[in-house]
Amino acid sequence: MIVNLIQAVEGREYVIKNVQTGDREMDEFLFSLGCYSGEPMTVVSQLVGGCIVSVKDGRYNIDHNLAKAIMV
């Protein structure tokens, strides 16, 4: 089942299926962080405004709008 990061379970590792922000610059920025199709990602914690994720040995705070655009 494919869900977005808002629906993902804390502490579980997912594989990114798709990233569609609607903004090419933002897509390229996320790609530079390691957020691209096929890459493993762990949801560290869910926050009111988004979530904290771990990708490629880095931790990032992803806001609510971006979290909806990342499908896992």
Side-chain angles (χ1 to χ4, degrees):
M1 180 165 92
I2 298 176
V3 297
N4 63 36
L5 286 183
I6 298 299
Q7 300 164 316
V9 177
E10 275 184 29
R12 182 171 173 199
E13 183 176 271
Y14 293 88
V15 175
I16 299 171
K17 303 294 183 198
N18 192 16
V19 178
Q20 289 284 338
T21 64
D23 179 351
R24 185 172 181 203
E25 241 179 72
M26 187 56 67
D27 288 342
E28 290 173 0
F29 174 70
L30 289 172
F31 183 86
S32 74
L33 297 179
C35 294
Y36 50 83
S37 184
E39 187 64 32
M41 170 184 276
T42 302
V43 177
V44 176
S45 65
Q46 293 284 2
L47 306 170
V48 173
C51 59
I52 298 174
V53 297
S54 176
V55 180
K56 288 195 173 269
D57 299 325
R59 285 190 178 198
Y60 305 103
N61 184 3
I62 305 291
D63 75 11
H64 193 76
N65 291 327
L66 280 180
K68 284 195 244 178
I70 300 173
M71 304 305 288
V72 292

